[in-house]
Amino acid sequence: MSKLNVLLLGSGGREHALAWKLSLSDRLNRLFVAPGNPGTARIAENLPLNPLDFAALRDAIVQHRIDMVVVGPEEPLVRGLHDFLRADAQTRHLMVIGPRQQASMLEGSKGFAKAFMQRHGIPTARYGTFTPETAQQARAFMRDLHPPFVLKADGLAAGKGVIIEPSYDRACLALDTLLGGQFGQASQTVVIEEFMHGIELSAFVLTDGSAYLMLPEAKDYKRVGDADTGPNTGGMGAVSPVPFATPEFMGKVEQRIVRPTIEGLQAEGIPYTGFLFVGLMNVGGDPFVVEYNVRMGDPETEVVMPRIKSDLLPLLERCACGQLHDAQLEVDGQTATTVILVSEGYPGSYPKGLPISGAEHDAPGAMLFHAGTALSAGQLVTSGGRVMACTALAPTREAALALSYGAASQVQFQGKRYRSDIGFDLNAH
Ligand code: AMP
Ligand code: GLY
């Protein structure tokens, strides 16, 4: 069989980690990343294309004889990229990793996801869905809940659409702001749900819509400050495996959540091809869904990919062709950790264009996955809030963290920030 030309979409640490894993494949001919970053440029061919410019993507796919498109971020999927490529005669036979628009609603609409879970008996927080016309009912619904109150914009809001308020009065103000158009169309509908007390983790599945493979789980650190203080971010670090994700707990995740999700999609005639990310809360040993995402997580991918021993590309081929049922996944039992270097001010406003040094080579025993970096006249500079993921794989969590933190201190740029406690809370579990 001839080898494959692959186009990966996206430009963050997740995409650098995916590109790294794909670049090791025996099945790979050429790897393109659009738009990619200076990290992916070292191992693949970057194409200066916007993943939301579907027509330009189609032309590049034809020009470079692409066999498979792997979609990193959610937005192209929620906007219907997979459907667009299926509908075009020139790209109809392409393999696409990432679901069609209908299934992407699992991430694109919180209300759709909650109603889907309710229809299929999948454990998640009790909820209600409200619009400006039903704001009065929303307040009555919240009167019945215990604080804190969780309010979510229904649509995509760049990770900022979840508001958690400690009091009823503040929750009512947040409701008015959301329904008043804080996130435009995305918050014209608001989901209000019960607050779940527990510890979070992320489960990952690769599915062809019928069969599935459970990928290694991970724990993400969302708050900007040590000891989980300060505002939420895209993610400040991650660890895999997660000590409290015991075989018994992951068995419950598979039986109660993953299997009913795949079977529910099938029963409703909704095809699914690609990664499914299930954000989970461990509530006293029982898993509940916080959210679905129709893609891999970032920074979780930076610890999940190093733990996958199998060649990823043949698995993606099987996924795209509906042949995952007899696939096997070999997982490395070691621990992977990643520490994210961020710009001063993140997740608020931050400077860009600051020179980065110490990233010319990977640090000893570690891998540097680029996130918000750019090249300016040949100099590597910062270009985003999350700048780089310092990843390591080692026999123990302590050893992996020592290597990740070694890399974190080697890379230098003005205002560099990172959490110093990634993974330490897990010692208690
Ligand atoms: P989401 O975008 O739905 O993942 O929500 C962002 C974050 O808000 C989650 O990672 C949780 O930390 C928190 N969160 C969302 N929903 C709940 C809930 N029902 N109970 C407790 N925390 C929640
Ligand atoms: N790390 C969380 C996410 O990718 O949504």
Side-chain angles (χ1 to χ4, degrees):
M1 269 198 303
S2 62
K3 296 192 177 194
L4 304 180
N5 291 334
V6 178
L7 172 62
L8 169 66
L9 302 183
S11 62
R14 167 182 51 211
E15 285 74 24
H16 190 179
L18 282 166
W20 165 75
K21 183 65 185 161
L22 290 170
S23 73
L24 303 174
S25 176
D26 292 336
R27 291 282 300 131
L28 185 71
N29 183 37
R30 292 173 76 183
L31 177 61
F32 299 89
V33 190
N37 63 39
T40 63
R42 292 183 187 168
I43 52 175
E45 300 169 63
N46 283 355
L47 300 175
L49 295 173
N50 178 349
L52 297 177
D53 186 346
F54 295 176
L57 291 176
R58 186 225 12 242
D59 293 346
I61 287 164
V62 172
Q63 182 194 340
H64 296 291
R65 300 173 184 274
I66 300 296
D67 301 293
M68 177 191 287
V69 171
V70 180
V71 186
E74 66 280 6
E75 205 174 343
L77 297 167
V78 174
R79 293 211 198 173
L81 175 61
H82 189 148
D83 311 71
F84 173 89
L85 295 172
R86 279 281 161 269
D88 191 297
Q90 290 178 290
T91 53
R92 181 163 297 151
H93 301 292
L94 191 72
M95 293 183 268
V96 181
I97 302 299
R100 291 176 182 239
Q101 192 165 32
Q102 192 186 12
S104 302
M105 293 294 277
L106 286 177
E107 177 164 2
S109 165
K110 305 261 186 207
F112 175 90
K114 296 294 280 192
F116 175 86
M117 286 185 261
Q118 197 167 51
R119 282 197 295 280
H120 299 286
I122 295 166
T124 187
R126 193 160 69 87
Y127 81 106
T129 303
F130 305 96
T131 60
E133 292 70 42
T134 56
Q136 201 55 40
Q137 284 99 304
R139 288 185 202 96
F141 181 76
M142 287 198 290
R143 279 252 175 254
D144 270 356
L145 297 176
H146 297 287
F149 300 89
V150 183
L151 297 95
K152 302 183 176 185
D154 180 68
L156 292 186
K160 298 189 174 71
V162 177
I163 296 170
I164 300 181
E165 291 291 0
S167 72
Y168 176 79
D169 289 342
R170 288 188 56 155
C172 287
L173 285 176
L175 174 71
D176 292 341
T177 314
L178 280 169
L179 291 177
Q182 183 179 8
F183 298 105
Q185 195 60 33
S187 66
Q188 284 303 293
T189 301
V190 171
V191 168
I192 299 177
E193 58 181 57
E194 199 166 46
F195 185 86
M196 296 185 284
H197 294 272
I199 179 160
E200 279 181 80
L201 74 157
S202 309
F204 299 96
V205 181
L206 179 68
T207 181
D208 58 16
S210 155
Y212 61 85
L213 287 173
M214 298 281 293
L215 307 180
E217 78 286 350
K219 173 143 183 52
D220 168 23
Y221 290 78
K222 288 189 163 65
R223 300 294 197 92
V224 74
D226 280 6
D228 288 332
T229 53
N232 261 324
T233 69
M236 297 294 291
V239 176
S240 177
V242 179
F244 62 82
T246 59
E248 187 198 354
F249 181 81
M250 292 311 289
K252 291 180 188 174
V253 171
E254 191 171 345
Q255 292 304 324
R256 299 178 189 175
I257 293 168
V258 174
R259 196 162 293 170
T261 299
I262 307 294
E263 287 174 358
L265 288 166
Q266 251 184 327
E268 296 190 22
I270 303 177
Y272 199 107
T273 315
F275 296 105
L276 176 69
F277 163 171
V278 192
L280 297 167
M281 189 75 79
N282 174 353
V283 183
D286 289 314
F288 289 78
V289 177
V290 177
E291 62 166 350
Y292 289 115
N293 295 305
V294 297
R295 54 175 172 81
M296 287 297 292
D298 194 351
E300 291 98 326
T301 306
E302 290 94 304
V303 294
V304 170
M305 288 303 137
R307 291 198 60 219
I308 296 180
K309 277 189 170 173
S310 313
D311 187 340
L312 183 63
L313 191 45
L315 294 176
L316 298 185
E317 267 183 288
R318 283 176 174 278
C319 174
C321 303
Q323 299 288 328
L324 264 187
H325 46 272
D326 52 1
Q328 300 289 331
L329 182 77
E330 212 191 329
V331 171
D332 194 321
Q334 299 188 89
T335 295
T337 58
T338 195
V339 173
I340 309 294
L341 308 181
V342 304
S343 299
E344 184 174 14
Y346 176 79
S349 61
Y350 49 82
K352 289 185 185 178
L354 301 173
I356 302 171
S357 63
E360 297 75 19
H361 306 285
D362 281 340
M367 288 181 285
L368 299 174
F369 292 128
H370 290 223
T373 70
L375 280 177
S376 172
Q379 166 70 50
L380 190 69
V381 297
T382 64
S383 72
R386 291 192 288 178
V387 175
M388 211 170 272
C390 305
T391 298
L393 180 71
T396 65
R397 186 163 67 250
E398 292 70 23
L401 285 169
L403 294 167
S404 283
Y405 278 111
S409 59
Q410 174 188 303
V411 177
Q412 299 293 345
F413 55 90
Q414 193 192 321
K416 176 183 75 173
R417 298 280 184 274
Y418 55 93
R419 273 182 67 158
S420 66
D421 65 343
I422 300 303
F424 287 105
D425 59 326
L426 297 174
N427 295 337
H429 290 276

PDB file of all heavy atoms in Angstrom, residues 366-392:
ATOM      1  N   ALA A 366      13.636  15.595  27.716  1.00  0.00           N
ATOM      2  CA  ALA A 366      12.335  16.263  27.572  1.00  0.00           C
ATOM      3  C   ALA A 366      12.091  16.647  26.117  1.00  0.00           C
ATOM      4  O   ALA A 366      13.013  16.664  25.303  1.00  0.00           O
ATOM      5  CB  ALA A 366      12.267  17.493  28.460  1.00  0.00           C
ATOM      6  N   MET A 367      10.840  16.944  25.809  1.00  0.00           N
ATOM      7  CA  MET A 367      10.474  17.428  24.479  1.00  0.00           C
ATOM      8  C   MET A 367       9.802  18.779  24.637  1.00  0.00           C
ATOM      9  O   MET A 367       8.978  18.953  25.542  1.00  0.00           O
ATOM     10  CB  MET A 367       9.479  16.469  23.822  1.00  0.00           C
ATOM     11  CG  MET A 367      10.099  15.171  23.386  1.00  0.00           C
ATOM     12  SD  MET A 367       8.875  14.107  22.606  1.00  0.00           S
ATOM     13  CE  MET A 367       7.964  13.561  24.036  1.00  0.00           C
ATOM     14  N   LEU A 368      10.151  19.710  23.774  1.00  0.00           N
ATOM     15  CA  LEU A 368       9.517  21.024  23.810  1.00  0.00           C
ATOM     16  C   LEU A 368       8.499  21.091  22.695  1.00  0.00           C
ATOM     17  O   LEU A 368       8.875  21.099  21.515  1.00  0.00           O
ATOM     18  CB  LEU A 368      10.569  22.125  23.628  1.00  0.00           C
ATOM     19  CG  LEU A 368      11.662  22.180  24.702  1.00  0.00           C
ATOM     20  CD1 LEU A 368      12.725  23.221  24.329  1.00  0.00           C
ATOM     21  CD2 LEU A 368      11.051  22.509  26.064  1.00  0.00           C
ATOM     22  N   PHE A 369       7.222  21.094  23.058  1.00  0.00           N
ATOM     23  CA  PHE A 369       6.173  21.261  22.057  1.00  0.00           C
ATOM     24  C   PHE A 369       5.802  22.737  22.006  1.00  0.00           C
ATOM     25  O   PHE A 369       5.414  23.330  23.019  1.00  0.00           O
ATOM     26  CB  PHE A 369       4.948  20.409  22.404  1.00  0.00           C
ATOM     27  CG  PHE A 369       5.184  18.928  22.288  1.00  0.00           C
ATOM     28  CD1 PHE A 369       4.884  18.071  23.337  1.00  0.00           C
ATOM     29  CD2 PHE A 369       5.711  18.380  21.116  1.00  0.00           C
ATOM     30  CE1 PHE A 369       5.090  16.699  23.224  1.00  0.00           C
ATOM     31  CE2 PHE A 369       5.924  17.008  20.988  1.00  0.00           C
ATOM     32  CZ  PHE A 369       5.615  16.169  22.041  1.00  0.00           C
ATOM     33  N   HIS A 370       5.933  23.320  20.824  1.00  0.00           N
ATOM     34  CA  HIS A 370       5.634  24.746  20.665  1.00  0.00           C
ATOM     35  C   HIS A 370       4.131  24.989  20.665  1.00  0.00           C
ATOM     36  O   HIS A 370       3.376  24.185  20.112  1.00  0.00           O
ATOM     37  CB  HIS A 370       6.197  25.270  19.345  1.00  0.00           C
ATOM     38  CG  HIS A 370       7.686  25.349  19.314  1.00  0.00           C
ATOM     39  ND1 HIS A 370       8.366  26.423  18.793  1.00  0.00           N
ATOM     40  CD2 HIS A 370       8.634  24.485  19.750  1.00  0.00           C
ATOM     41  CE1 HIS A 370       9.675  26.218  18.907  1.00  0.00           C
ATOM     42  NE2 HIS A 370       9.858  25.046  19.480  1.00  0.00           N
ATOM     43  N   ALA A 371       3.710  26.097  21.265  1.00  0.00           N
ATOM     44  CA  ALA A 371       2.290  26.483  21.242  1.00  0.00           C
ATOM     45  C   ALA A 371       2.214  27.888  20.640  1.00  0.00           C
ATOM     46  O   ALA A 371       2.005  28.028  19.438  1.00  0.00           O
ATOM     47  CB  ALA A 371       1.700  26.409  22.641  1.00  0.00           C
ATOM     48  N   GLY A 372       2.427  28.922  21.461  1.00  0.00           N
ATOM     49  CA  GLY A 372       2.387  30.295  20.952  1.00  0.00           C
ATOM     50  C   GLY A 372       3.787  30.789  20.660  1.00  0.00           C
ATOM     51  O   GLY A 372       4.343  31.579  21.424  1.00  0.00           O
ATOM     52  N   THR A 373       4.371  30.318  19.562  1.00  0.00           N
ATOM     53  CA  THR A 373       5.686  30.817  19.146  1.00  0.00           C
ATOM     54  C   THR A 373       5.607  31.236  17.683  1.00  0.00           C
ATOM     55  O   THR A 373       4.731  30.794  16.949  1.00  0.00           O
ATOM     56  CB  THR A 373       6.803  29.756  19.285  1.00  0.00           C
ATOM     57  OG1 THR A 373       6.599  28.743  18.296  1.00  0.00           O
ATOM     58  CG2 THR A 373       6.828  29.130  20.675  1.00  0.00           C
ATOM     59  N   ALA A 374       6.552  32.097  17.282  1.00  0.00           N
ATOM     60  CA  ALA A 374       6.627  32.515  15.878  1.00  0.00           C
ATOM     61  C   ALA A 374       8.088  32.800  15.566  1.00  0.00           C
ATOM     62  O   ALA A 374       8.917  32.908  16.483  1.00  0.00           O
ATOM     63  CB  ALA A 374       5.782  33.768  15.657  1.00  0.00           C
ATOM     64  N   LEU A 375       8.396  32.897  14.281  1.00  0.00           N
ATOM     65  CA  LEU A 375       9.744  33.298  13.874  1.00  0.00           C
ATOM     66  C   LEU A 375       9.678  34.728  13.369  1.00  0.00           C
ATOM     67  O   LEU A 375       8.815  35.072  12.564  1.00  0.00           O
ATOM     68  CB  LEU A 375      10.269  32.388  12.766  1.00  0.00           C
ATOM     69  CG  LEU A 375      10.822  31.033  13.205  1.00  0.00           C
ATOM     70  CD1 LEU A 375      11.235  30.219  11.983  1.00  0.00           C
ATOM     71  CD2 LEU A 375      11.995  31.182  14.176  1.00  0.00           C
ATOM     72  N   SER A 376      10.580  35.573  13.891  1.00  0.00           N
ATOM     73  CA  SER A 376      10.631  36.955  13.452  1.00  0.00           C
ATOM     74  C   SER A 376      12.068  37.227  13.029  1.00  0.00           C
ATOM     75  O   SER A 376      12.967  37.237  13.875  1.00  0.00           O
ATOM     76  CB  SER A 376      10.203  37.864  14.611  1.00  0.00           C
ATOM     77  OG  SER A 376      10.405  39.202  14.278  1.00  0.00           O
ATOM     78  N   ALA A 377      12.281  37.389  11.733  1.00  0.00           N
ATOM     79  CA  ALA A 377      13.628  37.567  11.175  1.00  0.00           C
ATOM     80  C   ALA A 377      14.583  36.487  11.701  1.00  0.00           C
ATOM     81  O   ALA A 377      15.693  36.772  12.128  1.00  0.00           O
ATOM     82  CB  ALA A 377      14.159  38.967  11.489  1.00  0.00           C
ATOM     83  N   GLY A 378      14.106  35.253  11.708  1.00  0.00           N
ATOM     84  CA  GLY A 378      14.951  34.134  12.105  1.00  0.00           C
ATOM     85  C   GLY A 378      15.030  33.904  13.603  1.00  0.00           C
ATOM     86  O   GLY A 378      15.579  32.906  14.055  1.00  0.00           O
ATOM     87  N   GLN A 379      14.483  34.815  14.375  1.00  0.00           N
ATOM     88  CA  GLN A 379      14.519  34.685  15.841  1.00  0.00           C
ATOM     89  C   GLN A 379      13.196  34.094  16.336  1.00  0.00           C
ATOM     90  O   GLN A 379      12.121  34.553  15.946  1.00  0.00           O
ATOM     91  CB  GLN A 379      14.759  36.074  16.462  1.00  0.00           C
ATOM     92  CG  GLN A 379      14.489  36.192  17.953  1.00  0.00           C
ATOM     93  CD  GLN A 379      15.512  35.436  18.804  1.00  0.00           C
ATOM     94  OE1 GLN A 379      16.716  35.584  18.625  1.00  0.00           O
ATOM     95  NE2 GLN A 379      15.023  34.596  19.720  1.00  0.00           N
ATOM     96  N   LEU A 380      13.290  33.078  17.210  1.00  0.00           N
ATOM     97  CA  LEU A 380      12.083  32.524  17.814  1.00  0.00           C
ATOM     98  C   LEU A 380      11.547  33.512  18.844  1.00  0.00           C
ATOM     99  O   LEU A 380      12.295  33.963  19.725  1.00  0.00           O
ATOM    100  CB  LEU A 380      12.421  31.181  18.482  1.00  0.00           C
ATOM    101  CG  LEU A 380      11.219  30.360  18.964  1.00  0.00           C
ATOM    102  CD1 LEU A 380      10.417  29.841  17.776  1.00  0.00           C
ATOM    103  CD2 LEU A 380      11.688  29.191  19.829  1.00  0.00           C
ATOM    104  N   VAL A 381      10.257  33.856  18.729  1.00  0.00           N
ATOM    105  CA  VAL A 381       9.645  34.825  19.646  1.00  0.00           C
ATOM    106  C   VAL A 381       8.308  34.287  20.158  1.00  0.00           C
ATOM    107  O   VAL A 381       7.732  33.372  19.575  1.00  0.00           O
ATOM    108  CB  VAL A 381       9.422  36.203  18.959  1.00  0.00           C
ATOM    109  CG1 VAL A 381      10.734  36.840  18.538  1.00  0.00           C
ATOM    110  CG2 VAL A 381       8.464  36.086  17.774  1.00  0.00           C
ATOM    111  N   THR A 382       7.818  34.908  21.229  1.00  0.00           N
ATOM    112  CA  THR A 382       6.511  34.524  21.762  1.00  0.00           C
ATOM    113  C   THR A 382       5.423  35.099  20.856  1.00  0.00           C
ATOM    114  O   THR A 382       5.581  36.171  20.282  1.00  0.00           O
ATOM    115  CB  THR A 382       6.312  35.064  23.187  1.00  0.00           C
ATOM    116  OG1 THR A 382       6.317  36.501  23.142  1.00  0.00           O
ATOM    117  CG2 THR A 382       7.418  34.593  24.124  1.00  0.00           C
ATOM    118  N   SER A 383       4.317  34.362  20.732  1.00  0.00           N
ATOM    119  CA  SER A 383       3.209  34.886  19.918  1.00  0.00           C
ATOM    120  C   SER A 383       1.853  34.503  20.488  1.00  0.00           C
ATOM    121  O   SER A 383       0.838  34.637  19.820  1.00  0.00           O
ATOM    122  CB  SER A 383       3.317  34.373  18.476  1.00  0.00           C
ATOM    123  OG  SER A 383       2.986  33.011  18.438  1.00  0.00           O
ATOM    124  N   GLY A 384       1.845  34.012  21.734  1.00  0.00           N
ATOM    125  CA  GLY A 384       0.565  33.613  22.321  1.00  0.00           C
ATOM    126  C   GLY A 384       0.662  33.591  23.830  1.00  0.00           C
ATOM    127  O   GLY A 384       1.722  33.864  24.406  1.00  0.00           O
ATOM    128  N   GLY A 385      -0.472  33.284  24.465  1.00  0.00           N
ATOM    129  CA  GLY A 385      -0.498  33.199  25.926  1.00  0.00           C
ATOM    130  C   GLY A 385       0.240  31.960  26.406  1.00  0.00           C
ATOM    131  O   GLY A 385       1.119  32.025  27.266  1.00  0.00           O
ATOM    132  N   ARG A 386      -0.137  30.826  25.848  1.00  0.00           N
ATOM    133  CA  ARG A 386       0.599  29.600  26.148  1.00  0.00           C
ATOM    134  C   ARG A 386       1.708  29.486  25.117  1.00  0.00           C
ATOM    135  O   ARG A 386       1.441  29.432  23.913  1.00  0.00           O
ATOM    136  CB  ARG A 386      -0.345  28.396  26.079  1.00  0.00           C
ATOM    137  CG  ARG A 386      -1.346  28.409  27.229  1.00  0.00           C
ATOM    138  CD  ARG A 386      -2.083  27.108  27.355  1.00  0.00           C
ATOM    139  NE  ARG A 386      -3.048  26.903  26.271  1.00  0.00           N
ATOM    140  CZ  ARG A 386      -3.792  25.805  26.147  1.00  0.00           C
ATOM    141  NH1 ARG A 386      -3.679  24.824  27.016  1.00  0.00           N
ATOM    142  NH2 ARG A 386      -4.658  25.688  25.154  1.00  0.00           N
ATOM    143  N   VAL A 387       2.939  29.470  25.561  1.00  0.00           N
ATOM    144  CA  VAL A 387       4.085  29.580  24.642  1.00  0.00           C
ATOM    145  C   VAL A 387       4.663  28.214  24.299  1.00  0.00           C
ATOM    146  O   VAL A 387       4.921  27.912  23.125  1.00  0.00           O
ATOM    147  CB  VAL A 387       5.165  30.502  25.247  1.00  0.00           C
ATOM    148  CG1 VAL A 387       6.413  30.532  24.372  1.00  0.00           C
ATOM    149  CG2 VAL A 387       4.602  31.915  25.431  1.00  0.00           C
ATOM    150  N   MET A 388       4.871  27.384  25.303  1.00  0.00           N
ATOM    151  CA  MET A 388       5.551  26.121  25.048  1.00  0.00           C
ATOM    152  C   MET A 388       5.173  25.098  26.101  1.00  0.00           C
ATOM    153  O   MET A 388       4.914  25.453  27.254  1.00  0.00           O
ATOM    154  CB  MET A 388       7.061  26.354  25.088  1.00  0.00           C
ATOM    155  CG  MET A 388       7.825  25.452  24.174  1.00  0.00           C
ATOM    156  SD  MET A 388       9.539  25.954  24.049  1.00  0.00           S
ATOM    157  CE  MET A 388       9.489  27.125  22.714  1.00  0.00           C
ATOM    158  N   ALA A 389       5.125  23.823  25.679  1.00  0.00           N
ATOM    159  CA  ALA A 389       4.817  22.722  26.597  1.00  0.00           C
ATOM    160  C   ALA A 389       6.091  21.906  26.813  1.00  0.00           C
ATOM    161  O   ALA A 389       6.666  21.394  25.857  1.00  0.00           O
ATOM    162  CB  ALA A 389       3.719  21.840  26.005  1.00  0.00           C
ATOM    163  N   CYS A 390       6.533  21.830  28.083  1.00  0.00           N
ATOM    164  CA  CYS A 390       7.758  21.090  28.407  1.00  0.00           C
ATOM    165  C   CYS A 390       7.347  19.686  28.856  1.00  0.00           C
ATOM    166  O   CYS A 390       6.873  19.511  29.984  1.00  0.00           O
ATOM    167  CB  CYS A 390       8.522  21.808  29.515  1.00  0.00           C
ATOM    168  SG  CYS A 390       8.888  23.525  29.112  1.00  0.00           S
ATOM    169  N   THR A 391       7.515  18.716  27.972  1.00  0.00           N
ATOM    170  CA  THR A 391       6.976  17.374  28.185  1.00  0.00           C
ATOM    171  C   THR A 391       8.080  16.367  28.452  1.00  0.00           C
ATOM    172  O   THR A 391       9.152  16.440  27.836  1.00  0.00           O
ATOM    173  CB  THR A 391       6.189  16.940  26.926  1.00  0.00           C
ATOM    174  OG1 THR A 391       5.094  17.835  26.742  1.00  0.00           O
ATOM    175  CG2 THR A 391       5.657  15.519  27.048  1.00  0.00           C
ATOM    176  N   ALA A 392       7.805  15.427  29.352  1.00  0.00           N
ATOM    177  CA  ALA A 392       8.767  14.355  29.609  1.00  0.00           C
ATOM    178  C   ALA A 392       8.022  13.057  29.864  1.00  0.00           C
ATOM    179  O   ALA A 392       6.860  13.063  30.287  1.00  0.00           O
ATOM    180  CB  ALA A 392       9.641  14.707  30.808  1.00  0.00           C
TER     181      ALA A 392
END
